[in-house]
Amino acid sequence: MPETEAAVVRPGTGTFARETLQVEEPRPDEDELAPPAPVGCGIQTGAGAVLNELRPGTGGSVAVCGAGAVGLFAVMAALAPAEKIIAIGIVPSRLEPARELGATHTINGNQEDTPQRLREITGGRGVDRALESSGVPALLRQAIDCLALGRGTVAVVGAPPVGTDGTFDVNFLLSGRTIRGVTEGDSDLTAFIPALASLYRSGRLPFDRMAHLYEPSRVGSTRRSRRRRAVRS
């Protein structure tokens, strides 16, 4: 190469090639990019725990303990294979979206006996799969106790403060029940995030219904107001 010519080196290209061909692909606008923005965290945590780890079979049952964002994404992900999807929470305003997003049953833990209701819903059998997303040890214990014999499995994604202990009856696990810790949905990011985007486009995972858009100026003022309230308290 003559000394007067400039060499441009790009990752993934032939560094010593005389010429490089770069194909310009159309880029989506901001409106297209906004809805899937949370896919990398809460969405893949809830949906990934169901699709990658719990994998409920057709006609099976799934109990989701905690009806926050992660729990609601788990409800959506369980919609296709599972017959009974049970959302458990204590905030009525969160249980209503759970029903709209596919939960066949909801349980208000403050008003109902959760273990008894689960036995009624499953005909005394217990649930095949459970997800604990609240980070509350008492709800984790309920999730374990509600598992069916054999291959009943609970995935734990809720994160309480470090050092928090949970309890369970060891003998309860000897019949084949499983407790499984899951981080970020146990996802292979390069494959799973495009899969979530595909589910979104097909209408099977409408996570845009859980998203709210804010102007940058409003986000900044919201943070400042929170700081002021914290200082006053």
Side-chain angles (χ1 to χ4, degrees):
M1 175 180 291
E3 293 182 0
T4 56
E5 293 185 16
V8 179
V9 179
R10 294 186 176 88
T13 64
T15 303
F16 298 104
R18 292 182 179 277
E19 297 180 356
T20 299
L21 176 63
Q22 180 175 338
V23 179
E24 184 174 352
E25 298 181 356
R27 298 181 180 180
D29 59 28
E30 291 185 4
D31 290 338
E32 290 180 278
L33 292 173
V39 166
C41 187
I43 293 174
Q44 75 162 336
T45 295
V50 171
L51 298 176
N52 297 329
E53 187 59 42
L54 292 177
R55 300 180 183 179
T58 302
S61 56
V62 179
V64 178
C65 300
V70 172
L72 291 178
F73 293 131
V75 167
M76 283 190 269
L79 183 58
E83 178 182 356
K84 295 176 181 177
I85 305 171
I86 309 150
I88 305 167
I90 60 174
V91 182
S93 62
R94 293 181 178 180
L95 292 176
E96 182 59 35
R99 285 187 287 268
E100 295 175 356
L101 293 169
T104 57
H105 303 78
T106 58
I107 299 174
N108 187 321
N110 276 345
Q111 301 175 359
E112 304 174 82
D113 184 329
T114 299
Q116 177 61 31
R117 285 285 292 122
L118 288 170
R119 285 191 292 270
E120 292 173 358
I121 293 169
T122 61
R125 181 176 180 276
V127 296
D128 302 304
R129 301 288 186 267
L131 177 73
E132 205 307 291
S133 65
S134 70
V136 178
L139 290 183
L140 173 59
R141 177 60 187 264
Q142 286 187 352
I144 296 171
D145 290 347
C146 78
L147 294 177
L149 290 170
R151 298 184 62 185
T153 301
V154 57
V156 184
V157 300
V162 175
T164 300
D165 292 330
T167 64
F168 58 87
D169 184 343
V170 174
N171 291 286
F172 198 73
L173 301 182
L174 301 182
S175 59
R177 298 177 176 96
T178 302
I179 306 171
R180 179 78 166 86
V182 178
T183 300
E184 294 289 351
D186 274 359
S187 306
D188 174 358
L189 298 182
T190 58
F192 191 60
I193 288 184
L196 290 177
S198 179
L199 289 172
Y200 167 71
R201 293 192 192 99
S202 69
R204 290 181 54 196
L205 201 66
F207 46 71
D208 56 330
R209 294 177 58 182
M210 295 287 297
H212 298 280
L213 301 180
Y214 300 92
E215 294 295 332
S217 58
R218 183 179 175 187
V219 174
S221 62
T222 300
R223 288 175 178 169
R224 286 192 295 271
S225 65
R226 286 176 179 171
R227 293 194 192 102
R228 285 197 293 269
R229 286 198 297 270
V231 170
R232 289 170 184 168
S233 60

